[in-house]
């Protein structure tokens, strides 16, 4: 990925860089190389010499993703009743040693080191870790700033600090942690869901605008739009058929049938409005491609909701049967499907990582109001880069057409491109803060966190999780409807003007010299 920083070396430290023809290169001495992961040298110095070069920002982002994945995996292990019983041999969870508990709290009732309490404490540590960095890195615009080293360096120290925060969280008694942290987690989880909805609708609009621009100039782009649209509608149709087959039953599941029928009507309504003449009059590039993407996302949210609801029990042929879950059309006893649980969890976490990375990129491109500006952006040239998550949105060269102020500690010797961030460090950590809260409440069944177990989270489900996901699906429909209908209230003089194009990911085109950079 080509970033806004034209840096080809393994570090951007001014004390180690030498300028050659406008490109910064780095010469590392052995002492700095040996302690680079502990000191103020970027993480790219930790790579082996035979590995391909990796710029500083993607390397740092990868490290933070691995930290978040590791913390989420630890939460899953501590929430799993099977793991706790087999590893520690204790069915009621892991207890703190009585002597340590009496020394810390003055009584023998210690916090349990497993279950929902452990998930709350681990996520409290990770959320605090990212929130502190988000506050410290606010209004940072230069990768060569001293504050930028806090994001790109000191990896061992930051890992120890993260472990320390989690350890401190385990020392907080339940009665002091759960009442407040539970509501903070609920608010953060809902905020992250709204952020995901904004990103997926922005992704659909941007992809459609980009390829419709090419379809107006070349029939090959029109063919690409047609095939992609048919592909997304085919996936949505297949998903609807599978959901009706596996999550409904002739003897029951009325709620599932009504929900599936309603969501299919939503998909048809959004598709019709996307090509309605009154909509296309205000948005000429509105089309079925964006509606097909939203339809697929609606079907995913429907699958996630139906797989999260408790089963329904009825008496059929003198036997008690559990309905409304996969595998029951053959009148067999219900067995939780681990493959569906893994699929649901995998898609959910992929959406989490997409939101964390894309939101930080758009925040740097469009500024604080990126959630509004991203929808009004107009493209001049089409690009196949929209198949990559990192290149969904184009980048605006300067916010408001003016030069971005650099921090006072920015090195003036570096070229202009090297003094710009490829994504907002502060927004990156703030979204990871919200993601930690979202993972926490999702694993612990949102409002009913008492007695939560990993074996039941993605298989048996709860009504609280079910209605949260149904509400998120309806919110997605309302957001997309608002984006389609809002321009009808604008006058022609209020239509936004497209900003200048500067692409920073694949196939970047400079408006000055017309060649890739």
């Amino acid at each position: 990925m080509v970033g806004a920083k034209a840096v080809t070396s393994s570090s951007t430290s001014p004390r180690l860089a030498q300028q050659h023809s406008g490109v910064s290169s780095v010469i590392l001495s052995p002492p700095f190389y040996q302690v680079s992961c502990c000191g103020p040298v970027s993480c790219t110095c930790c790579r082996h010499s035979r590995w391909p070069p990796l710029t500083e920002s993607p390397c740092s982002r990868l490290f933070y993703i691995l930290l978040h994945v590791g913390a989420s995996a630890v939460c899953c292990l501590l929430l799993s009743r099977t793991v706790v019983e087999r590893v520690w041999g204790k069915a009621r969870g892991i207890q703190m040693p009585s002597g340590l508990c009496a020394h810390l709290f003055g009584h023998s009732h210690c916090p349990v080191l497993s279950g929902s309490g452990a998930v709350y404490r681990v996520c409290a540590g990770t959320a605090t870790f990212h929130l502190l960095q988000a506050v410290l890195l606010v209004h940072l615009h230069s990768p060569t700033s001293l504050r930028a080293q806090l994001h790109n360096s000191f990896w061992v120290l930051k890992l120890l600090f993260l472990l320390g925060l989690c350890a401190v969280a385990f020392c907080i008694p339940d009665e002091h942690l759960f009442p407040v942290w539970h509501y903070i987690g609920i608010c953060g989880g809902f905020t992250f869901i709204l952020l995901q909805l904004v990103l997926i609708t922005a992704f659909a609009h941007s992809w459609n605008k980009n390829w419709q621009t090419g379809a107006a100039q070349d029939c090959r782009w029109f063919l690409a739009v047609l095939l992609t649209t048919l592909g997304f509608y085919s996936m949505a149709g297949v998903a609807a058929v599978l959901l009706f087959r596996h999550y409904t039953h002739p003897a029951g599941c009325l709620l599932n049938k009504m929900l599936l029928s309603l969501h299919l009507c939503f998909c048809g309504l959004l598709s019709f409005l996307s090509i309605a003449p009154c909509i296309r009059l205000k948005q000429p590039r509105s089309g079925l491609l964006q509606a097909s993407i939203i339809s697929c996302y609606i079907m995913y949210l429907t699958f996630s909701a139906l797989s999260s609801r408790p089963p329904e029990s009825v008496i059929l042929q003198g036997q008690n049967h559990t309905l409304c879950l996969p595998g029951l059309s053959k009148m067999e006893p219900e067995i939780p499907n681990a493959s569906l649980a893994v699929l649901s969890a995998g898609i959910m976490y992929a959406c989490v990582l997409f939101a964390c990375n894309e939101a930080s990129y758009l925040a740097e491109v469009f500024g604080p109001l990126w959630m509004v500006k991203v929808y009004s952006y107009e493209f001049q040239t089409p690009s196949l880069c929209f198949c990559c998550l990192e290149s969904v949105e184009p980048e605006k060269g300067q916010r408001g057409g003016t030069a971005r102020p650099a921090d006072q500690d920015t090195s003036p010797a570096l070229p202009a491109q090297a003094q710009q961030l490829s994504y907002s460090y502060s927004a990156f950590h703030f979204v990871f803060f919200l993601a930690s809260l979202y993972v926490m409440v999702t694993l612990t069944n949102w409002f009913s966190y008492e007695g939560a177990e990993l074996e039941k989270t993605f298989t048996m489900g709860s009504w609280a999780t079910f209605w949260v996901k149904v509400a998120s699906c309806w919110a997605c429909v309302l957001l997309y409807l608002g984006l389609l209908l809002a321009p009808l209230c604008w006058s022609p003089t209020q239509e936004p003007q497209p900003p200048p194009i500067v692409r920073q990911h694949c196939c970047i085109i400079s408006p000055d010299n017309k060649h890739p950079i």
Side-chain angles (χ1 to χ4, degrees), residues 101 120 168 263 453 492 507:
C101 183
Y120 268 53
V168 170
H263 289 183
E453 296 178 359
C507 308

Side-chain angles (χ1 to χ4, degrees), residues 13-27 414:
S13 177
R15 294 176 297 178
L16 304 177
Q18 293 181 352
Q19 301 298 325
H20 297 285
S21 301
V23 179
S24 60
S25 60
V26 175
I27 301 176
L414 293 178

Side-chain angles (χ1 to χ4, degrees), residues 53-391:
L54 188 63
T55 55
E56 184 177 85
S57 294
C59 180
S60 301
R61 185 157 44 183
L62 177 62
F63 270 51
Y64 286 113
I65 289 175
L66 293 178
L67 284 178
H68 194 267
V69 171
S72 302
V74 170
C75 290
C76 292
L77 294 177
L78 295 176
L79 191 63
S80 174
R81 177 173 49 86
T82 304
V83 172
V84 173
E85 291 180 354
R86 292 184 179 180
V87 176
W88 283 276
K90 297 180 180 180
R92 295 186 178 180
I94 314 167
Q95 291 288 343
M96 208 180 263
S98 58
L100 179 61
C101 183
H103 176 73
L104 291 176
F105 309 117
H107 53 78
S108 58
H109 300 288
C110 297
V112 180
L113 305 184
S114 62
S116 58
V119 174
Y120 268 53
R121 288 173 169 86
V122 172
C123 291
T126 57
T128 305
F129 173 77
H130 287 292
L131 182 60
L132 289 176
Q133 292 201 74
V135 173
L136 294 175
L137 298 175
V138 69
H139 295 306
L140 176 67
H141 301 303
S142 172
T144 59
S145 170
L146 294 178
R147 285 192 296 152
Q149 295 182 3
L150 179 64
H151 176 81
N152 294 315
S153 309
F154 303 103
W155 293 103
V156 174
L157 298 179
K158 284 189 290 190
L159 178 60
L160 294 177
F161 180 67
L162 174 60
L163 295 177
L165 290 175
C166 295
V168 170
F170 273 98
C171 297
I172 303 176
D174 292 347
E175 60 271 15
H176 296 159
L177 175 67
F178 284 107
V180 177
W181 191 244
H182 173 66
Y183 290 104
I184 294 176
I186 293 295
C187 296
F190 276 119
T191 304
F192 188 80
I193 288 178
L194 296 178
L195 179 65
Q196 279 187 318
L197 299 182
V198 171
L199 288 172
I200 192 64
T201 51
F203 175 80
H205 272 70
S206 301
W207 190 345
N208 181 78
K209 283 183 179 181
N210 186 275
W211 283 24
Q212 288 286 354
T213 302
Q217 305 170 0
D218 194 335
C219 62
R220 290 175 295 181
W221 283 106
F222 176 79
L223 181 62
V225 171
L226 178 62
L227 294 178
T228 306
T229 303
L230 292 177
F232 278 115
Y233 273 124
S234 300
M235 288 189 290
V238 170
V241 172
L242 293 177
L243 291 176
F244 269 109
R245 178 179 178 182
H246 294 289
Y247 286 92
T248 62
H249 193 275
C253 307
L254 179 62
L255 178 61
N256 289 9
K257 296 174 184 177
M258 294 177 57
L259 194 66
L260 280 169
S261 302
L262 178 63
H263 289 183
L264 284 177
C265 293
F266 284 157
C267 294
L269 176 63
L270 298 182
S271 300
F272 171 76
L273 291 178
S274 297
I275 57 175
C278 57
I279 299 296
R280 291 183 61 86
L281 182 64
K282 291 290 184 177
Q283 303 184 63
R285 291 177 183 172
S286 177
L288 291 177
L289 176 58
Q290 58 188 16
S292 64
I293 298 173
I294 298 299
S295 298
C296 277
Y297 191 64
I298 289 175
M299 287 297 104
Y300 158 68
L301 292 177
T302 307
F303 158 71
S304 182
L306 295 181
S307 62
S308 300
R309 64 157 291 179
E312 182 178 320
S313 298
V314 296
I315 298 177
L316 298 176
Q317 300 177 358
Q319 296 181 355
N320 190 13
H321 289 272
T322 306
L323 305 182
C324 308
L325 285 178
L328 300 172
S329 59
K330 300 179 181 179
M331 306 298 294
E332 298 175 352
E334 168 61 16
I335 299 177
N337 196 330
S339 60
L340 286 178
V342 172
L343 176 63
S344 179
I347 296 177
M348 180 205 76
Y349 205 79
C351 293
V352 168
L353 296 182
F354 165 72
C356 293
N357 287 276
E358 194 64 17
S360 61
Y361 170 65
L362 295 177
E364 181 64 20
V365 171
F366 293 102
L369 299 179
W370 66 267
M371 292 187 184
V372 178
K373 295 180 180 179
V374 65
Y375 293 110
S376 59
Y377 193 88
E378 296 294 339
F379 296 89
Q380 298 179 3
T381 57
S383 172
L384 288 176
C385 265
F386 271 78
C387 296
C388 305
L389 294 180
E390 293 297 332
S391 57

Side-chain angles (χ1 to χ4, degrees), residues 7-12 17 23-26 44 47 53-56:
V7 180
T8 59
S9 62
S10 59
S11 174
T12 58
V23 179
S24 60
S25 60
V26 175
T44 52
R47 65 178 181 86
L54 188 63
T55 55
E56 184 177 85

